[in-house]
């Protein structure tokens, strides 16, 4: 029987809509080849939400997401909305509430750089002769992002603000399980990152992770690093890691570092997995490129669609269990890029193609 997949398409701003359009085309080719049917609807988010509905995350968009089994997300933000108060801006006004509403507690970001385009990395080629292949697992709905926060005026007239970093055992254990599952599909090695020499939450993190792995994953090699050391090691020798596993704030910073070490942002996909199980018995999730809305090149037809296409492959794998189709899309992207079809960001001054042509080369290889 043909599998039917139902997802919400939230293209957002900047290059979001143009890379989303071609990603859907590539999905359509995969659907024919791997015999699944797609049902999807588009909705506004981010700046488009503000312009058309008065807020970054319109109620109608949330409603559509609730009726779907996954969200394919583009990117949000741009200069037009930068003057709004921070929590009304596209990024904070849409992404953080989506994470909270759908309990998207696990952010999975592959740090993948093909050997063929190793020059896209700021690292010297001899440090990464075979490219890079690691993955960052970041806790996404806890820690300092969502703890109690406030600003007040002190008696002496100064202003004081605080943010609180809070974690409880169950939050750490459920993300530890995602790290374990990820490691089992790779080389069974996890590096947990914390600041246990200073932070109470990190002491709990390390203790909980150690006990959980001892009990549930004796087959996985676990080691621990302080976050400052991890930041240094990541740029010194990224491939010493396999699964890099950490809390929300540290993961925000380390995953950005990882993405630049891996070269073009235009190649970086990500998955944010939810607690909820969808109608396919898989995790509800939000899938988005890591690169942002790139307003400077929006509408020119030159944006790299690979990250959006790779994000849709992650959706097929994690939310719909279509692992064959996902792997085929990933291989088609790699083959297209390796054979020399490249957008400007990965062409190093050589011949480059536009968004549509890049996507067509991928579809053809599928
Ligand atoms: C990310 C982004 C977000 C975060 C911002 C836009 C709120 O930087 O997804 O990494 O800090 O989590
Ligand atoms: Mn970030």
């Amino acid at each position: 029987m043909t599998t039917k997949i139902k997802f919400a398409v939230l293209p957002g701003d900047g290059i979001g809509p143009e890379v989303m359009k071609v990603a859907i085309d590539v999905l359509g080719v995969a659907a024919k080849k791997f015999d699944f049917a797609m049902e999807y609807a588009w909705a506004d988010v981010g700046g488009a939400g503000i312009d058309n509905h008065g807020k970054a995350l319109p109620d109608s968009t949330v409603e559509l997401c609730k009726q779907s089994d996954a969200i394919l997300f583009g990117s949000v933000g741009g200069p037009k909305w930068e003057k709004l108060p921070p929590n009304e801006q596209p990024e904070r006004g849409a992404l953080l509430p989506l994470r909270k509403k759908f309990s998207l507690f696990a952010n999975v970001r592959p740090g993948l750089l093909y050997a063929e385009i190793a020059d896209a990395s700021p690292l010297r080629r001899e440090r990464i002769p075979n490219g890079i292949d690691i993955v960052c697992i970041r806790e996404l709905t806890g820690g300092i992002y969502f703890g109690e926060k406030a600003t007040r005026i002190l008696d002496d007239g100064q202003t004081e603000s605080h943010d609180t970093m809070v974690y409880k055992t169950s939050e750490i254990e459920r993300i530890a399980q995602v790290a374990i599952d990820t490691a089992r599909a790779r080389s069974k090695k996890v590096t947990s990152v914390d600041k246990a020499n200073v932070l109470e939450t990190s002491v709990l993190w390390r203790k909980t992770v150690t006990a959980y792995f001892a009990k549930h994953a004796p087959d996985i090699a676990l080691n621990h690093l302080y976050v400052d050391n991890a930041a240094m090691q990541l740029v010194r020798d990224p491939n010493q890691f396999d699964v890099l596993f950490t809390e929300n704030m540290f993961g925000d910073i380390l995953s950005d570092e990882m993405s630049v070490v891996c070269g073009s942002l235009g190649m970086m996909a990500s998955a944010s997995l939810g607690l909820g199980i969808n109608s396919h018995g898989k995790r509800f999730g939000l899938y988005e490129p890591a690169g942002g809305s790139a307003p400077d090149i929006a509408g020119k037809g030159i944006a790299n669609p690979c990250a959006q296409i790779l994000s849709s492959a992650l959706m097929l794998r994690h939310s719909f269990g279509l692992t064959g189709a996902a792997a085929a899309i990933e291989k088609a992207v790699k083959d297209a890029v390796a054979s020399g079809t490249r957008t400007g960001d990965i062409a190093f001054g050589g011949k480059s193609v536009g968004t549509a042509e890049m996507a067509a080369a991928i579809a053809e290889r599928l």
Side-chain angles (χ1 to χ4, degrees), residues 205-219:
W205 180 277
R206 191 173 285 216
K207 193 173 148 215
T208 307
V209 168
T210 304
Y212 193 86
F213 274 64
K215 184 162 178 211
H216 300 279
D219 55 318

Side-chain angles (χ1 to χ4, degrees), residues 23-39:
I24 298 282
D25 292 344
V26 171
L27 271 178
V29 175
K32 278 210 189 86
K33 174 152 190 222
F34 290 89
D35 194 29
F36 62 88
M38 306 197 291
E39 185 186 330

